Amino acid sequence: AREQTVRRGPKEIRSRGRAVTTADYVLLAPRAPGASIARAHAVAGLHPAHPGLPVPGVVGVFVVPPDRGEPPPTPDQESLRSVARYLSSEVAPAGVEVVAAAPRYHLVRVEAQVVIDRAADPSTVVRRVVEMLDTYLHPLTGGESGQGWPFGGPLRYVPLVQRVLGASDSIRAVTRLDFVVDGVRVPPCRDYTLSPNSLIWPEGHEVIAEQERAT
């Protein structure tokens, strides 16, 4: 959002700045005094308020605060000001404008149906699958690395089916798995490409567990 963007001009950048790559901004953003930052993502030439327009001399830094149970985790204005100020004065080379902003979140609901052992408790299996989905799709604990869903990383159908299968030893098959992104259902068995530099927030999964039938 426009009101979540804080800008610091080149006049505040000192000549001692030594940033060489965007990784420097990512590494140092959590060190900003007074800021509560768990994760950052930097893009050269991107102004968060104008994502479709390349802007030379600008580094856009998206920041994610710790998850305090108020979805999705969004930085406050003071944290954004602190990150922009710190990166401008301590990291950015002269002539570079640092812009700090909150990331865009896509709300994702997974609808799944699984077949489980006859002896398994359906409610227990459902709980484990939902917990796995919430963890795997989370901006701070998600992704294959467990270090947070990658910024702009696509939702992939096959890996998610494999994750559901592995959520419980009692699961024998995944008979249905659908994505609903921002209220829109994705066609079956398809991957989904997020908007660039965005994240996922898992919300309201629907999981049905049916026991195997006797043969």
Side-chain angles (χ1 to χ4, degrees):
R2 188 180 300 271
E3 64 273 9
Q4 293 175 317
T5 301
V6 178
R7 302 176 60 179
R8 307 296 297 180
K11 65 180 182 180
E12 296 188 7
I13 300 174
R14 303 173 188 174
S15 60
R16 67 182 181 182
R18 295 184 175 86
V20 176
T21 69
T22 54
D24 298 322
Y25 298 93
V26 172
L27 178 65
L28 295 174
R31 302 183 188 180
S36 182
I37 303 300
R39 191 176 172 214
H41 174 67
V43 185
L46 173 68
H47 194 301
H50 309 286
L53 179 66
V55 183
V58 169
V59 175
V61 179
F62 299 94
V63 294
V64 181
D67 183 5
R68 298 187 176 89
E70 299 179 0
T74 303
D76 57 32
Q77 288 294 304
E78 182 55 37
S79 289
L80 292 177
R81 279 190 286 268
S82 178
V83 168
R85 184 184 306 116
Y86 174 71
L87 294 179
S88 294
S89 62
E90 303 293 337
V91 180
V96 172
E97 178 184 14
V98 176
V99 183
R104 175 186 176 184
Y105 286 99
H106 293 279
L107 300 181
V108 174
R109 182 173 82 250
V110 175
E111 297 179 358
Q113 186 168 339
V114 299
V115 176
I116 64 175
D117 288 340
R118 293 180 64 193
D121 175 42
S123 62
T124 298
V125 174
V126 167
R127 183 176 66 254
R128 289 179 179 174
V129 172
V130 170
E131 289 174 351
M132 180 280 298
L133 291 170
D134 283 343
T135 299
Y136 180 61
L137 300 174
H138 198 278
L140 297 178
T141 63
E144 298 299 324
S145 68
Q147 300 300 308
W149 192 265
F151 282 83
L155 276 166
R156 299 200 181 278
Y157 176 80
V158 171
L160 193 53
V161 169
Q162 294 171 339
R163 287 272 175 168
V164 172
L165 279 170
S168 170
D169 292 338
S170 299
I171 297 176
R172 292 291 169 258
V174 178
T175 54
R176 181 174 69 88
L177 190 145
D178 293 327
F179 303 136
V180 179
V181 182
D182 296 330
V184 179
R185 187 175 301 278
V186 178
C189 305
R190 299 281 187 87
D191 296 342
Y192 181 85
T193 302
L194 302 182
S195 59
N197 307 304
S198 64
L199 289 172
I200 288 172
W201 183 252
E203 187 174 76
H205 307 302
E206 179 182 295
V207 179
I208 298 173
E210 295 184 344
Q211 292 172 318
E212 288 180 309
R213 296 180 181 180
T215 56

